[in-house]
Amino acid sequence: MSALIGIDQGTTGTRVVAFGHGDRVLADEYREVPTAHPHPGWVEKDADQVVVSVAEGLAAVVGQLDGARVDAVGLDNEGETVVAWDAETLRPLAPAVVWSCRRSQGVVDRLRAAGAEPRVRALAGTPLDPYFSSTKIRWLLENDEAVAGAAEAGRVRFGTFDAYVCARLGEGARTDPSTAARTQLQRIDRPGEWDEELCAIFGVDPAWLPPIGPSVGELGRLAGLPLGTLLVDQTAALAGHGCLAPGAAKATYGTGVFVLANAGASPPADPAGLLPTVAWQEQSVAYALDGGVFTAGSAMSWLHELGLVADPAESEALAGSVADTGGVRFLPALTGVAAPWWMPEARGVWAGMTAHTTRAHMVRAVLEAIAWRVRDIVDAMGTAGVAPALLRVDGGMTGNRWLMQRQADVLGIPVRVAAQAEATALGAARAAAAGVGRAAFADLAELAETGETIEPSAGSAAWRYAGHADWRRWLEAAGTLPA
Ligand code: ADP
């Protein structure tokens, strides 16, 4: 018997899953890694703990395989998050700066004032924003003494978690074009190399960065096992859903909803407010368009904290218990509105309440708003020329059947719920098999055929057209309200 292992190094923890024949789960381990918020807007974590979570999770999974051979291991990582380490000792020099951390806003403001943004957009394809690794590295160099000292001494190294985990548990730091795209230091049209001009804009010496290899291939060993893929988590999920053809799209419904569409062999000419990125590089490069709804499952947890639902799952029964929202509307902007409108200052809004409004109306309005936000992104994908005909979905919120039906109704296309809940780890594992020559990368497309398909309900078309126009008017009005 043989197994494939997918390691999904995510924001809140690391999941390691071993898959056997027919993608049967043979072992599954999760190690939580705490994040810290030392100041408002700051998010960081201990890079050592992430390495330990990967090493322990992997050892525990291998221990459950009864000696089955491990054909390949694939590692996906959270992307954007920056680790600074000492080249000689490999020790972290500072806490890792997590993707959602806003501490480098000052660096962004300064570069924007200096007129750097158009050039960054032209080269990297992405706007200036604290989200990407670029300004986080600059911030560490300017504000952390240990990092600055190591840079002075020629010993500093920077990388995302794929690079750091490979440095600690593998044969040396390395990354791939999909994660490198999230640093903003790689040109969108030249994946596989650090760009000197982008590095100069952010004051980063390319010698501090790991080599960029292919996403899929014989990538050496990780903890003694053959490493067959390195990917960023969102594109590992895209692979895990079998989205190999242009226009194939997936949405992961967790804390936020992360929608990604395969955009084909060249970067989209007009990304229509979405982020162009590299999906993977195997024999050739595939691009993707990325759009995020930052407030989704987090709004469910918030409703729970407010006492409006007993738990997030209760939202399903509540939403279905009323015929409509009773005129209530919600703008899910608890952390701004992201793609494709980019209104970071927008805040959540409830509106349209009367003395007859119940919590069921309010909860239903939140779920409906999430579905409309996903439609905003899918529409932008259409504008960019990669309109999906089907949306493949995974994540904790897909357990909410009411929301999934509403999503299909709002989009007017079917929604297919992944048969394998761990779509991201599966993508990493299946891509790794291709990397070590045990399968063809194209075989991942088979995965697209599995899962339950939810069709838009009969008669939802008229509602959808009117609802969409209303939603856009409301979003524009509410999103631009002063905070
Ligand atoms: P993440 O990977 O981002 O931590 P998960 O995929 O584990 O997220 O999903 C958890 C999120 O989904 C939580 O924010 C939770 O509030 C929400 N959630 C879980 N089940 C449901 C449900 N049945 N209905 C609505 N929201 C849900």
Side-chain angles (χ1 to χ4, degrees):
M1 201 180 62
S2 63
L4 297 169
I5 296 181
I7 306 170
D8 176 25
Q9 183 275 312
T11 310
T12 48
T14 300
R15 183 169 293 281
V16 184
V17 188
F19 298 94
H21 189 66
D23 300 328
R24 193 164 66 86
V25 173
L26 304 175
D28 181 351
E29 289 280 332
Y30 183 73
R31 297 282 185 285
E32 199 168 313
V33 177
T35 47
H37 303 264
H39 304 287
W42 285 41
V43 191
E44 58 186 44
K45 62 178 156 186
D46 181 343
D48 264 334
Q49 289 185 9
V50 171
V51 173
V52 168
S53 73
V54 173
E56 285 188 359
L58 192 52
V61 159
V62 170
Q64 291 167 51
L65 292 180
D66 294 330
R69 188 183 69 232
V70 176
D71 283 342
V73 177
L75 170 68
D76 69 78
N77 78 102
E78 64 192 82
E80 297 102 15
T81 299
V82 168
V83 188
W85 70 90
D86 182 301
E88 282 163 40
T89 65
L90 302 183
R91 306 306 308 161
L93 293 162
V97 183
V98 174
W99 57 271
S100 52
C101 184
R102 309 298 293 178
R103 75 180 66 178
S104 57
Q105 185 67 50
V107 179
V108 166
D109 294 344
R110 196 174 74 213
L111 286 167
R112 192 168 281 147
E117 183 147 42
R119 199 65 193 140
V120 171
R121 261 185 197 276
L123 295 170
T126 45
L128 279 174
D129 192 277
Y131 178 46
F132 303 103
S133 316
S134 52
T135 59
K136 296 185 196 296
I137 296 177
R138 188 73 239 149
W139 187 95
L140 283 166
L141 285 161
E142 291 176 11
N143 294 280
D144 188 286
E145 273 182 29
V147 172
E152 189 83 359
R155 291 170 58 143
V156 80
R157 293 292 178 271
F158 294 99
T160 33
F161 266 115
D162 52 346
Y164 190 56
V165 167
C166 286
R168 291 281 298 275
L169 304 177
E171 296 173 346
R174 62 181 302 150
T175 187
D176 91 295
S178 71
T179 307
R182 317 304 298 188
T183 65
Q184 211 168 44
L185 299 172
Q186 173 185 262
R187 270 180 74 142
I188 187 72
D189 58 346
R190 285 196 204 149
E193 56 188 88
W194 301 115
D195 182 66
E196 281 191 16
E197 186 178 346
L198 282 167
C199 285
I201 288 172
F202 295 103
V204 174
D205 182 342
W208 297 335
L209 304 171
I212 311 176
S215 316
V216 179
E218 306 237 5
L219 307 181
R221 295 199 157 248
L222 191 73
L225 300 167
L227 180 66
T229 199
L230 288 178
L231 286 169
V232 75
D233 54 6
Q234 292 307 315
T235 76
L238 194 68
H241 278 278
C243 296
L244 264 49
K250 71 90 199 173
T252 301
Y253 290 74
T255 311
V257 185
F258 294 95
V259 195
L260 219 69
N262 188 314
S266 49
D270 170 17
L274 305 172
L275 301 176
T277 195
V278 175
W280 44 71
Q281 181 199 353
E282 33 107 41
Q283 259 129 30
S284 55
V285 173
Y287 286 88
L289 270 179
D290 172 344
V293 175
F294 293 166
T295 304
S298 55
M300 294 294 120
S301 309
W302 174 72
L303 289 177
H304 168 63
E305 280 157 31
L306 291 180
L308 283 173
V309 292
D311 56 49
E314 197 204 355
S315 63
E316 177 170 0
L318 276 173
S321 72
V322 283
D324 52 38
T325 68
V328 177
R329 282 214 176 265
F330 181 67
L331 180 70
L334 304 181
T335 42
V337 171
W341 317 114
W342 302 105
M343 297 186 283
E345 309 303 329
R347 291 294 173 263
V349 181
W350 288 105
M353 271 91 77
T354 69
H356 298 290
T357 298
T358 65
R359 69 186 179 107
H361 292 127
M362 295 174 79
V363 169
R364 180 168 168 137
V366 173
L367 289 175
E368 272 192 3
I370 293 166
W372 285 116
R373 284 288 295 122
V374 170
R375 165 136 191 180
D376 291 337
I377 289 171
V378 170
D379 278 6
M381 287 170 169
T383 307
V386 286
L390 169 84
L391 187 66
R392 298 179 170 91
V393 302
D394 68 293
M397 279 190 101
T398 60
N400 188 319
R401 184 63 200 226
W402 189 90
L403 176 64
M404 291 302 106
Q405 183 63 58
R406 203 54 159 180
Q407 190 66 77
D409 291 349
V410 156
L411 292 173
I413 59 172
V415 165
R416 187 172 293 165
V417 185
Q420 172 51 252
E422 296 304 333
T424 311
L426 180 63
R430 293 283 300 261
V436 302
R438 296 224 158 237
F441 190 70
D443 291 351
L444 273 105
E446 289 161 23
L447 291 162
E449 306 312 323
T450 61
E452 186 202 354
T453 305
I454 301 171
E455 299 285 342
S457 22
S460 62
W463 172 84
R464 177 163 59 249
Y465 290 121
H468 187 213
D470 282 356
W471 164 255
R472 291 289 277 269
R473 271 195 297 275
W474 146 254
L475 180 116
E476 203 167 311
T480 50
L481 288 175

